[in-house]
Amino acid sequence: IVRKNQKNKYIPSVNFDEIGGQYRAKNELKEALDFLLQREKIARYGIRPVKGILLTGPPGTGKTLMAKASAHYTDAIFVSASGSEFVEMYVGVGAKRIRSLFQEARSLARKHKKNRAIVFIDEIDVIGGKRDGSQQREYDQTLNQLLTEMDGISVDQEVQVLVIAATNRKDMLDPALLRPGRFDRHIHVDLPDKKARLHILQLHTKNKTLHSDISLMKIAEETFGFSGAQLESLANEAAIYALRENKPEIEQKHLASAIDKVLMGEKADREASS
Ligand code: ATP
């Protein structure tokens, strides 16, 4: 029995309203996704389908969220992989994995009676980096398979597939990936400005009790350079400080300590990797 409103676990529940800031990026993305929704019209005009969207920008700015919200927006099946999963794979295994990712997307869509699917590839630069002779030969087959899959996408197919990829190293990508008909739409997802930081803080404190003295605007002002992921972490750490002190509400000092904690964490990570 198919119950109404039953959630489909292959369609993310994240929607664009849950992404703070990124107003321009969200609009550009929705505009591209509207092409996917107007499939018949696009075909009638002889316009080729949007096959690939590249999300670029620093880590933790919400690229993965954007990809998931895209699937929610278009009622599409969502499957994903990360470029780093392909590291140290034997020759040919990566290509197989790519093939099965697309097959999975199509078969899940058919099974769940959806006519759209989004394949999300995070850290695309790992498999799609510029080829420079001897290096990275083992990734060639993986990249070639991805290109083959993308070239095979057409409006006539029963399931319309869209590939969304993310990278923070756009300059590193093989030009073959960026050709028309492949990842020819690029959307930059940048670090949030003050207004966007406030929006993100509001979203991530919605489920928390804040003391009435708290000014999230002040926190937004003090967190220049923070990514969305860091702001999420800040809100969580502040709640942990409040819990430790057994306080019923998060106070300004908990938020201040949380800012330090997030900054210190970043510093420790940097030192560990250098
Ligand atoms: P990476 O490049 O490291 O993969 P990303 O850009 O894909 O990062 P996400 O994985 O989407 O970033 O973000 C990580 C988490 O940070 C999200 O799950 C969310 O909690 C929070 N976050 C990031 N950006 C935003 C945003 N704009 N609004 C709300 N939350 C955000």
Side-chain angles (χ1 to χ4, degrees), residues 114-130:
K114 302 288 176 194
N115 50 17
R116 289 182 283 271
I118 289 179
V119 174
F120 175 57
I121 305 178
D122 201 1
E123 300 181 77
I124 183 87
D125 43 285
V126 177
I127 51 171
K130 280 184 189 135

Side-chain angles (χ1 to χ4, degrees), residues 18-20 22 58-65 122 200 204 228-229 232:
E18 292 165 49
I19 304 176
Q22 309 298 356
T61 44
K63 296 183 291 300
T64 306
L65 282 183
D122 201 1
I200 297 171
H204 286 291
E232 188 275 335

Side-chain angles (χ1 to χ4, degrees), residues 33-43 116:
L33 295 170
D34 287 337
F35 268 65
L36 204 67
L37 296 174
Q38 302 178 339
R39 185 172 167 179
E40 280 82 27
K41 204 166 172 188
I42 299 297
R116 289 182 283 271

